[in-house]
Amino acid sequence: MADESIPTWEDVARRYGRKIYNFAYRLTGNPDDAADLVQEVLLRVRKGLASYTPGSFDGWLWRITRNAFLDGVRRNQRRPTSPLPDDDRVALAPSPSPDEVLASVRLSEDVQSALLKLPIEFRECVVLCDVVGLTYEEIATAIDSPVGTVRSRIHRGRKMLRELLTWPV
Amino acid sequence: MAGMTSSPCDIGELMSAYLDGELQAGELDHVVEHLGGCTDCILEFRHLKEARAAVRTLPRLEVPELLAPSFHFGPELSAYLDGELPTEEQTQVFSHLQTCEECRDELHELDAARAAIRSLPGLEPPVLIEVHRGRHEARHFGRRGRAVALAAGVAAAAVIAVGVAGSSTPETTIDLDSFTNQHVARASVEAGFTVIPAVGPVGLEP
């Protein structure tokens, strides 16, 4: 969406609804929470558009989306979360054999399950990058952090994801 | 590198940025050079690529019916008809049309309007008339606006051409002053169309 234009709420719902829903689903892991999050985001967008000044619309929208998600997590601690590790090591079983690796054709449920095991900070960066398709710069705007932090979280998130997918836990 | 979780090499997170085309200036050579000689990092690079692909190939989910009423399409439908949407959006509109009667009706109306415009007969431009369509107008008008403006311009040109053709005066003796004065009002409304006379420039202010 062009930066200089201010979209209507209907534009946002139409153009971004599907992406917001996919983001929400991959972060929350269930359709009900995802639908709730989409509605919450669209409500915030509707209120926020009145005071929105033209700029990076995507950055603005995804910051709202991300904040709505984090607010939901804080309200509802039943969502699976884990603290940020000191480093990017994950407790793992012994290395698998090549056959096991070859057999690791992923079902989307496996990937979704592994995503939910990532710390939220890593998960949101990986999803914004690989599901929503934002650049590192756009993600940095969305999560209000430096690009270097985004780069590090995406890398560590992918490493953990790969390990979770390779060695069943 | 001894394994996936220990990293004596120094390109660690640069590999993910390399996958995403997000390396900063000067980093690319370093990563490529290192990957050329470190089998452990090549292995890790492949693992990162697999993890990235696993997430990227997750199925894209449709918005549930519960939320669907918010997601009708508008301007995208014309672009959809013309095949001008990006692939992802084209697929999105197509999926939506399967279940949304309102958008299907809108699409049919747009299709009928488009067919009506396209069925207009083509007109040959006259020799003495040149229609300018500059970059400015191309930006100013939308696709349909440009088509209408062009059609109107061609029609105006045809009217002028009939007037010129109807005269038996040789081309070199045409007095375009009175002729163009009759059409100043029309031409001034339709900015961008300029009469190019055979003798001497007779420009019309837009």
Side-chain angles (χ1 to χ4, degrees):
Chain A
M1 189 170 289
D3 278 352
E4 66 271 14
S5 64
I6 299 178
T8 63
W9 179 82
E10 288 79 8
D11 286 338
V12 178
R14 196 171 58 238
R15 294 175 64 96
Y16 291 90
R18 190 166 179 251
K19 279 190 176 179
I20 296 171
Y21 180 74
N22 275 269
F23 170 84
Y25 187 94
R26 296 307 173 199
L27 283 187
T28 63
N30 77 75
D32 291 338
D33 286 349
D36 287 348
L37 181 55
V38 172
Q39 288 180 322
E40 175 64 22
V41 169
L42 292 178
L43 276 175
R44 294 187 186 196
V45 167
R46 193 165 210 161
K47 289 177 186 171
L49 279 175
S51 57
Y52 172 74
T53 53
S56 172
F57 182 80
D58 280 68
W60 179 80
L61 174 66
W62 291 109
R63 190 161 55 244
I64 287 178
T65 305
R66 182 253 191 175
N67 288 340
F69 166 68
L70 291 181
D71 288 347
V73 170
R74 290 186 196 109
R75 279 197 307 270
N76 186 358
Q77 291 299 322
R78 70 184 166 80
R79 289 192 176 90
T81 62
S82 53
L84 270 175
D86 292 335
D87 60 24
D88 53 8
R89 295 173 187 229
V90 177
L92 299 169
S95 297
S97 69
D99 285 346
E100 288 175 299
V101 175
L102 288 174
S104 59
V105 177
R106 321 284 181 250
L107 296 174
S108 61
E109 291 79 7
D110 297 332
V111 180
Q112 178 66 57
S113 173
L115 269 176
L116 294 176
K117 290 186 174 73
L118 298 185
I120 287 175
E121 290 82 355
F122 294 177
R123 196 190 322 160
E124 65 178 359
C125 286
V126 168
V127 170
L128 284 171
C129 180
D130 292 330
V131 174
V132 179
L134 300 188
T135 64
Y136 286 12
E137 187 75 38
E138 289 168 334
I139 297 170
T141 303
I143 69 170
D144 199 21
S145 296
V147 172
T149 302
V150 172
R151 176 193 278 198
S152 172
R153 287 180 180 178
I154 287 174
H155 177 69
R156 294 169 69 185
R158 282 180 182 156
K159 282 188 73 171
M160 292 178 66
L161 198 61
R162 158 69 189 177
E163 292 170 350
L164 288 164
L165 289 169
T166 304
W167 295 281
V169 292
Chain B
M1 179 179 297
M4 280 287 296
T5 55
S6 61
S7 179
C9 301
D10 64 349
I11 65 166
E13 64 191 40
L14 294 182
M15 284 192 281
S16 278
Y18 177 48
L19 273 173
D20 294 328
E22 294 272 4
L23 286 177
Q24 304 297 313
E27 293 175 335
L28 180 61
D29 287 346
H30 179 53
V31 172
V32 171
E33 185 181 350
H34 185 86
L35 284 177
C38 179
T39 52
D40 286 337
C41 283
I42 289 174
L43 181 62
E44 178 166 358
F45 181 72
R46 286 180 183 158
H47 289 168
L48 288 168
K49 200 172 176 183
E50 285 178 13
R52 179 176 180 262
V55 179
R56 292 197 170 207
T57 54
L58 282 169
R60 294 296 183 259
L61 305 169
E62 288 304 319
V63 178
E65 288 289 319
L66 172 69
L67 301 170
S70 304
F71 301 146
H72 291 304
F73 288 93
E76 294 85 356
L77 291 177
S78 281
Y80 174 81
L81 270 178
D82 294 331
E84 294 282 353
L85 286 178
T87 305
E88 185 186 353
E89 218 172 334
Q90 192 88 2
T91 306
Q92 187 179 349
V93 173
F94 178 80
S95 300
H96 180 77
L97 287 169
Q98 308 308 307
T99 56
C100 180
E101 190 174 349
E102 190 175 329
C103 283
R104 277 203 304 274
D105 290 345
E106 175 78 5
L107 186 72
H108 288 148
E109 288 179 14
L110 288 169
D111 193 23
R114 187 178 74 151
I117 293 171
R118 292 187 171 190
S119 67
L120 288 171
L123 301 172
E124 289 297 322
V127 175
L128 296 178
I129 307 300
E130 181 174 300
V131 179
H132 288 286
R133 293 175 60 204
R135 190 177 294 174
H136 173 74
E137 287 83 7
R139 280 202 306 270
H140 182 69
F141 294 110
R143 173 184 288 267
R144 197 167 298 166
R146 287 200 304 274
V148 171
L150 181 59
V154 171
V159 170
I160 295 171
V162 168
V164 172
S167 167
S168 59
T169 308
E171 186 175 305
T172 53
T173 61
I174 290 176
D175 176 9
L176 282 173
D177 286 345
S178 60
F179 170 73
T180 53
N181 286 340
Q182 294 170 29
H183 295 278
V184 161
R186 179 69 179 265
S188 65
V189 170
E190 295 169 1
F193 302 112
T194 307
V195 176
I196 307 297
V199 180
V202 184
L204 295 177
E205 290 298 321

